[in-house]
């Protein structure tokens, strides 16, 4: 499945819905583990929060949530409360890569960055820590609608991520965005040709585009 650069998607949304609209689709603050990674896939959502009561069943539910991630999906993890530390390390990441997920976006802390690079799929994350997750004290919800920094992410929404960050598009919107994104790419290629020929920014950006 071909991906589309996130800045192109942002420009396409702005052309479709108007100024300031792309902010509603951006998962802000997500940085890539590896600069060259780029992904596209349907969201598989996990929400983690502090459990009311510690229990071994909490551990089982959390591990099952990761085990059940479908091949080709983008696992989106939203951390609501303080849960002790990282919600993704190299062991969980290794499992996710083994079952074939397209990538992981963690709105929260991860750890074992060297191990994540070696064993994990493409990963975007909000912060790093050396502290571990208190699994017995963490409640897990799966395949529910998330609000990640105010941006809605529903199961099945298409998640795009690359060096510039992560962007989510409802599946119903993608059909309208795809031809606009192709036009944005063509327009920028024309601008680059103009600049390579020595034209100024004013000349380039005011020129009519095909």
């Amino acid at each position: 499945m071909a991906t589309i650069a996130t800045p192109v998607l942002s420009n396409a949304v702005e052309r479709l819905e108007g100024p300031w609209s792309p902010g509603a689709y951006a998962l802000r603050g997500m940085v890539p583990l590896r600069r060259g990674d780029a992904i596209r896939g349907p969201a598989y959502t996990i929400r983690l929060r502090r459990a009311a009561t510690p229990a071994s069943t909490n551990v089982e539910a959390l591990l099952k949530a990761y085990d059940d991630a479908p091949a080709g999906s983008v696992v989106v993890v939203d951390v609501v409360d303080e849960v002790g530390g990282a919600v993704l390390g190299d062991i969980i990441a290794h499992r996710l890569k083994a079952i074939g997920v397209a990538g992981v976006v963690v709105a929260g802390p991860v750890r074992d960055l060297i191990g994540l690079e070696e064993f994990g799929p493409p990963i975007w994350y909000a912060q790093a820590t050396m502290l571990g997750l208190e699994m017995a004290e963490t409640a897990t919800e799966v395949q529910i609608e998330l609000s990640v920094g105010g941006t809605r992410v529903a199961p099945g929404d298409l998640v795009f991520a690359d060096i510039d960050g992560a962007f989510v598009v409802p599946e119903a919107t993608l059909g309208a965005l795809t031809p606009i994104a192709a036009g944005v790419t063509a327009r920028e290629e024309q601008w680059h040709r103009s600049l390579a020929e020595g034209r100024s920014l004013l000349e380039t950006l005011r020129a009519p585009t095909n």
Side-chain angles (χ1 to χ4, degrees):
M1 186 186 296
T3 190
I4 305 171
T6 57
V8 171
L9 280 171
S10 177
N11 288 353
V13 167
E14 187 170 27
R15 293 183 69 177
L16 180 67
E17 299 185 1
W20 303 101
S21 58
Y25 298 85
L27 301 179
R28 293 177 174 83
M30 301 297 113
V31 297
L33 179 70
R34 295 179 289 250
R35 290 174 56 89
D37 285 340
I39 59 168
R40 164 182 172 168
Y44 170 81
T45 63
I46 299 174
R47 177 186 290 151
L48 302 177
R49 63 171 71 248
R50 189 75 174 265
T53 305
S56 61
T57 53
N58 292 336
V59 180
E60 295 168 6
L62 189 151
L63 296 177
K64 187 176 187 301
Y66 284 116
D67 271 333
D68 288 348
S73 67
V74 177
V75 180
V76 181
V77 184
D78 185 29
V79 185
V80 176
D81 303 315
E82 172 57 54
V83 290
V87 299
L88 183 74
D90 57 357
I91 302 302
I92 291 174
H94 193 164
R95 171 60 176 164
L96 293 175
K97 184 176 182 179
I99 60 181
V101 304
V104 188
V105 177
V106 181
V110 304
R111 70 174 184 174
D112 305 316
L113 296 187
I114 293 174
L116 294 182
E117 286 198 38
E118 181 177 357
F119 297 109
I123 295 167
W124 284 255
Y125 65 97
Q127 64 193 89
T129 180
M130 76 293 298
L131 302 175
L133 174 65
E134 297 293 344
M135 289 192 285
E137 299 189 29
T138 300
T140 305
E141 299 169 276
V142 178
Q143 288 294 73
I144 60 169
E145 184 173 308
L146 306 177
S147 178
V148 179
T151 297
R152 172 188 174 276
V153 184
D157 283 352
L158 286 167
V159 180
F160 296 77
D162 55 26
I163 191 172
D164 288 296
F167 203 80
V168 60
V169 178
E171 190 172 8
T173 306
L174 187 65
L177 282 181
T178 299
I180 299 174
V184 169
T185 299
R187 179 187 62 184
E188 292 188 354
E189 289 173 351
Q190 183 174 331
W191 286 346
H192 282 295
R193 287 195 297 270
S194 175
L195 292 168
E197 291 166 359
R199 295 186 180 89
S200 70
L201 289 172
L202 281 174
E203 292 173 308
T204 296
L205 299 181
R206 284 180 176 175
T209 56
N210 297 326

